């Protein structure tokens, strides 16, 4: 493979010697599952996002599930969310026996539209789950106002939003519950992992219990000299706890987080500059920094303008792959999956803004392990394809 056609993957984690050493230390320490490293990761992460309480879990999916339970969402309730999300957001609503209600997205940010969400509120609505899509902050003031007016819980899906701020407030310190993902492709990774932050002390205690079988006390202490063999099960909980190996990885990633984010921002700026003025592309919106918003640039999502091209999105993705550029699509909307069509009666026409965006969107590689040359190559190959297929 030559320089001009070497494959540039869509996403890679940045794991250095620090991470390897941190995990190895845990492996040598005799304490590999939930323990002191997890406690430290929770404390450091809470501090990092200005959250009063943080509970480390084994995924963002687990965090969403426990947030819904802690918010008292159950059978007969409705939860409003966006169709432009990963299936976990909707599946967890179904897991607590509630009904997901999809409202359309904002055409610019592709985050849940507060106006569309407001129009879906009924007496059964119990919560709203905005997604900070791609790392761009959702319109939190509008959602908080809706929550206050209608007595709803706000559960933020912050799977893309470690490092996102809204109006000077860090995501993690805003809504009732915020669920983060540390999955392998995320901008801070523990391979698999998640964190739930909340200002509600009692809810945090219950989440901790529910994340470990419903067992009443810090189970990890049971095996220490200070611990006791005795415990009680308070509720039928889940096995959602984070391991100390994952927490050690997370702590090492936090130490380099600012540097990694700087690289993401720099690469996003390079894409913006290189693609500016191309009529075939709509570029992702930046955050309104003057108002105190910060974009985490987890994803760089471009939208093709079909009237300027002789090729559609699917063919463009295939052609980019041929050129050696890995891409992804965020997301196949919930309305497009046969399962949700069958069980929820949803259809792509319910949320036309999300459906139109889906048909035009693709996510380009954006991660700190990319080299500046990789970025140049993605730009070169993308612009050359656009040129070749210009109408
Ligand atoms: C918007 C969104 N929500 C939730 C999740 C689930 O995260 P996890 O894999 O940590 O459970 C993802 C993962 O990709 C996501 O993109």
């Amino acid at each position: 493979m030559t320089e001009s056609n070497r494959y540039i993957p869509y996403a890679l984690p940045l794991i250095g010697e620090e991470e390897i050493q941190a995990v190895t230390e845990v492996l040598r320490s005799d304490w590999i599952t939930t323990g002191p490293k997890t406690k430290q990761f929770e404390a450091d992460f809470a501090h990092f996002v200005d959250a009063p309480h943080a509970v480390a879990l084994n995924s963002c999916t687990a965090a969403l599930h426990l947030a819904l339970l802690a918010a008292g969402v159950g059978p007969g309730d409705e939860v409003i969310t966006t169709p432009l999300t990963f299936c976990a957001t909707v599946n967890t609503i179904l897991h607590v026996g509630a009904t997901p209600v999809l409202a359309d997205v904002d055409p610019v940010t592709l985050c849940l539209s507060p106006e569309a969400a407001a129009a879906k509120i009924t007496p059964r609505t119990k919560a709203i789950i905005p997604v900070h899509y791609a790392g761009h902050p959702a319109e939190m003031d509008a959602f908080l106002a809706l929550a206050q007016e209608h007595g709803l819980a706000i559960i933020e899906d912050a799977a893309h939003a470690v490092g996102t701020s809204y109006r000077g407030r860090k995501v993690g310190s805003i809504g009732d519950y915020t669920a983060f993902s540390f999955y392998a492709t995320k901008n801070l990774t523990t391979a698999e992992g998640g964190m739930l932050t909340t200002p509600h002390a009692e809810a945090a205690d219950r989440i901790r219990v529910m994340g470990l079988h419903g067992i009443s006390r810090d189970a990890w202490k049971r095996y220490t000299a200070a611990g006791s063999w005795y415990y009680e099960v308070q509720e039928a909980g889940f096995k959602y706890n984070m391991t100390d190996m994952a927490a050690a990885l997370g702590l090492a990633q936090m130490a380099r987080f600012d540097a990694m984010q700087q690289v993401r921002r720099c690469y996003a700026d390079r894409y913006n500059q290189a693609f500016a003025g191309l009529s075939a592309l709509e570029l992702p919106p930046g955050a309104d920094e003057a108002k105190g918003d910060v974009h985490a640039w987890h994803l760089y999502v471009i939208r093709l303008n079909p009237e300027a091209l002789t090729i559609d999105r699917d063919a463009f993705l295939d052609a980019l792959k041929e050129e050696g550029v890995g891409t992804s699509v965020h997301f196949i909307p919930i309305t497009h999956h046969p399962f949700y069509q069958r069980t929820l009666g949803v259809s792509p026409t319910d949320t036309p803004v999300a459906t139109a965006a889906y048909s035009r969107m693709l996510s380009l590689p954006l991660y700190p392990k990319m080299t500046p040359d990789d970025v140049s190559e993605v730009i070169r190959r993308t612009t050359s394809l656009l040129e070749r297929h210009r109408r």
Side-chain angles (χ1 to χ4, degrees), residues 16 20 46 66 71 73 77 84 110-111 143 194 206 219 238 248 291 294 308 320 376 383 388 390:
I20 292 167
L66 295 183
V73 179
D77 296 331
L84 221 46
L110 302 183
C111 294
F143 292 118
R206 177 155 180 246
F238 302 89
K291 289 188 176 157
V294 175
L320 260 181
S376 304
T383 40
R388 242 180 293 160
R390 198 165 58 170

Side-chain angles (χ1 to χ4, degrees), residues 59-62 64 85-86 88-89 131 157 159-160 180-183 186 192-193 331:
S59 70
C60 177
T61 306
L64 289 166
T85 187
F86 188 57
T89 320
V131 175
D157 183 330
H160 304 175
F180 293 93
S181 174
F182 308 132
Y183 179 66
K186 299 298 194 284
E192 297 282 356
F331 292 93

Side-chain angles (χ1 to χ4, degrees), residues 38-59:
T38 305
K39 292 283 157 208
Q40 192 190 334
F41 187 35
E42 286 177 341
D44 289 7
F45 192 85
H47 180 72
F48 174 60
V49 300
D50 300 333
H53 307 281
V55 182
L57 299 161
N58 59 11
S59 70

Side-chain angles (χ1 to χ4, degrees), residues 352-372:
V353 182
T355 293
Y358 165 61
S359 70
R360 300 167 48 209
M361 64 163 56
L362 62 129
S363 305
L364 291 178
L366 177 65
Y367 46 97
K369 198 175 183 181
M370 287 177 87
T371 64

